Amino acid sequence: MKSYNQYLAEADANLHMTHLEDAVIDGGVKGTRNVINYIRNIRDMLSGNTKAPVSLTTKWDGAPAIFAGVDPADGKFFVAKKGVFNKTPKLYKTNAEIDNDLSGDLNSKFKVALKEFAKLGIEGVVQGDFLYTDDDLKTENIDGEPCVTFHPNTIVYAIPKTSSLGKKISGSKIGVVWHTTYSGSTLETMSASFGMAISTKLNNVKSVWHVDATFEDKSGTATMTKAETDNLTAMLSKAGSLFRTIDAKVLGELGTNEDLNVKVNTFINTKVRAGERIGSVKPFVADLQRYIQQYYQKEADKRKTPAGKKTQMDKAAAVLQIFDKRNTKKLEAIFTLYDLFVDMKYVIIAKLDTVEGIRTLLKTKKGFEVTGQEGFVAIDHYSSNALKIVDRMGFSLANFSDKYIKGWQK
């Protein structure tokens, strides 16, 4: 089991928590092969193969992140933000410590968390995301039914108020989704485990509604039919055939050339924000090359000296080498495979979103729109790697869109 610091240090090499399709850009041959294996294992799992070495967790749209547990150094309970694993950890063990560091909404939320989470009997340290405190809960009419809602970030979660779950949430003081556990003799060297059941091991306290990120399909609706399995298998076969034709050197350059990698990922993200996919690969590759050229030209134009301008143009030349005409078809093949992985990802998401559970909505000035979960995380228990399976054309776009009201907007 790796320590938290090792997970961070090995994030790039192991593709820890990157988008499934981005592993092609970031991970070269190894990363692309990992994606194929992940999709194959997810297919097997959704087809009823319980031995598939992969599990899924649901990405809840909670915020902010919170850590809670016992400090091994003195045995005292604490809550914390992300500074928990610093060499000098920033922990909140008293309200006074919270007052010294936090203000406004964060101050009040962490005070509630400190009081209520201390009742849970947490061993070691757990990490989760805030969903609400009781002052965030609202009663809203959704399709003619009164629902208790909470809106931590982009997604609004709605539960019928008269249901047993609605009553539990309405009667609680704080809600949180747990996704990671840590154990060890010191905070700095603690080992991380994710995709595990956490809430079931904690005390049942009425004031805290807590849920695990583990994906559950009690209805069986996420099980793939033979036709759905065959369709995904055919797509995997196509991806495997295309993968075997790809130039490993060019693929590897996209991940190992840091400047190039950043520019490619940034360009893809600009398309996501515009609600666009790669589409036709020939114009995509041409647009990518033009984007990089324009970026460095703008950087050169900002420089006042010839030497400064030359430095930027030299960087441009080094990054743009990959767009040599001899590589055009090779790059087009890589992005064709990238887009095929996106197709397969949406097949998986569509199936997972059929599972009935808490309703997920987006809030606009005119009312609510139905949406899916933020996404899912596939965890390979053999390699301890994880890949995000997120509807970037849906959730990610909504996250950046002014059309949708966010939970932090008053």
Side-chain angles (χ1 to χ4, degrees):
M1 187 178 289
K2 298 181 178 68
S3 72
Y4 179 79
N5 291 333
Q6 284 176 307
Y7 272 115
L8 295 181
E10 297 176 12
D12 291 335
N14 287 336
L15 308 171
H16 176 60
M17 285 298 287
T18 191
H19 286 282
L20 179 141
E21 63 272 24
D22 285 350
V24 177
I25 307 300
D26 299 338
V29 170
K30 180 181 177 182
T32 306
R33 186 178 293 114
N34 282 348
V35 174
I36 292 173
N37 288 334
Y38 264 90
I39 295 174
R40 184 183 294 120
N41 288 335
I42 293 170
R43 175 205 60 188
D44 292 347
M45 183 191 71
L46 296 180
S47 299
N49 180 359
T50 57
K51 295 182 180 180
V54 65
S55 64
L56 292 170
T57 63
T58 302
K59 280 182 64 60
W60 287 70
D61 189 29
I66 184 168
F67 295 80
V70 176
D71 183 355
D74 60 13
K76 292 182 179 179
F77 182 80
F78 71 87
V79 292
K81 298 191 296 181
K82 291 186 177 180
V84 64
F85 294 113
N86 293 346
K87 285 190 175 181
T88 304
K90 182 176 285 188
L91 311 177
Y92 308 129
K93 300 177 182 178
T94 65
N95 283 346
E97 289 174 331
I98 294 174
D99 286 334
N100 287 336
D101 192 55
L102 301 176
S103 60
D105 194 42
L106 276 182
N107 179 286
S108 60
K109 286 188 183 307
F110 272 81
K111 283 181 178 176
V112 175
L114 178 64
K115 179 181 178 181
E116 302 304 330
F117 290 173
K119 304 172 184 177
L120 296 176
I122 296 171
E123 295 182 2
V125 176
V126 295
Q127 179 185 353
D129 294 307
F130 265 108
L131 295 177
Y132 62 83
T133 47
D134 54 0
D135 55 343
D136 298 318
L137 297 175
K138 297 180 180 180
T139 298
E140 304 196 60
N141 192 297
I142 310 293
D143 293 337
E145 183 174 28
C147 292
V148 57
T149 66
F150 49 92
H151 190 185
N153 196 14
T154 299
I155 292 177
V156 177
Y157 295 94
I159 306 94
K161 192 161 187 178
T162 58
S163 68
S164 59
L165 179 56
K167 292 176 181 177
K168 284 182 182 178
I169 291 174
S170 296
S172 66
K173 295 181 179 179
I174 189 170
V176 64
V177 53
W178 304 119
H179 54 73
T180 309
T181 61
Y182 301 88
S183 59
S185 57
T186 66
L187 289 175
E188 189 178 2
T189 60
M190 279 191 166
S191 299
S193 299
F194 42 80
M196 310 288 287
I198 299 173
S199 62
T200 55
K201 299 177 182 178
L202 303 179
N203 296 337
N204 185 15
V205 178
K206 288 184 178 180
S207 58
V208 181
W209 182 69
H210 47 132
V211 64
D212 294 325
T214 50
F215 176 78
E216 287 188 90
D217 177 23
K218 295 179 181 178
S219 65
T221 53
T223 302
M224 283 186 168
T225 64
K226 183 179 184 302
E228 290 169 334
T229 301
D230 289 346
N231 176 49
L232 194 52
T233 298
M235 297 172 78
L236 277 165
S237 178
K238 183 178 179 181
S241 297
L242 183 56
F243 181 39
R244 287 189 287 273
T245 70
I246 283 177
D247 188 300
K249 184 177 180 181
V250 175
L251 180 60
E253 179 74 5
L254 290 172
T256 57
N257 185 323
E258 185 175 348
D259 285 345
L260 174 63
N261 181 263
V262 170
K263 301 301 178 295
V264 172
N265 277 297
T266 301
F267 182 67
I268 289 173
N269 283 331
T270 62
K271 292 187 75 67
V272 169
R273 293 188 186 197
E276 301 173 2
R277 283 183 53 177
I278 284 178
S280 178
V281 291
K282 186 178 287 294
F284 173 85
V285 171
D287 288 346
L288 174 60
Q289 182 179 4
R290 190 177 305 109
Y291 166 81
I292 295 174
Q293 288 171 330
Q294 291 174 348
Y295 171 86
Y296 283 107
Q297 185 61 60
K298 288 178 181 177
E299 290 300 306
D301 292 343
K302 294 177 185 177
R303 272 53 180 186
K304 296 181 179 180
T305 66
K309 293 179 184 294
K310 182 178 183 301
T311 296
Q312 294 303 312
M313 297 317 294
D314 286 346
K315 287 183 178 180
V319 171
L320 291 167
Q321 283 181 354
I322 198 169
F323 293 97
D324 184 282
K325 289 184 179 180
R326 291 170 293 183
N327 289 337
T328 300
K329 294 295 183 183
K330 299 173 183 178
L331 287 169
E332 290 174 359
I334 290 169
F335 288 108
T336 298
L337 180 60
Y338 180 102
D339 225 26
L340 180 55
F341 284 142
V342 175
D343 287 338
M344 289 189 277
K345 177 184 74 172
Y346 281 123
V347 169
I348 293 168
I349 290 174
K351 194 62 183 175
L352 296 177
D353 273 341
T354 62
V355 176
E356 294 184 3
I358 294 176
R359 298 180 69 177
T360 49
L361 308 163
L362 296 172
K363 188 174 184 178
T364 73
K365 292 180 180 178
K366 296 181 180 180
F368 293 101
E369 293 182 9
V370 176
T371 187
Q373 289 282 357
E374 176 187 344
F376 305 88
V377 177
I379 301 165
D380 185 335
H381 293 290
Y382 288 165
S383 63
S384 297
N385 293 333
L387 291 176
K388 292 187 289 187
I389 305 174
V390 175
D391 178 2
R392 293 167 90 174
M393 295 297 102
F395 174 79
S396 298
L397 180 60
N399 204 27
F400 293 118
S401 174
D402 293 335
K403 174 184 176 182
Y404 300 107
I405 299 169
K406 311 304 189 293
W408 43 267
Q409 293 175 321
K410 303 299 182 183

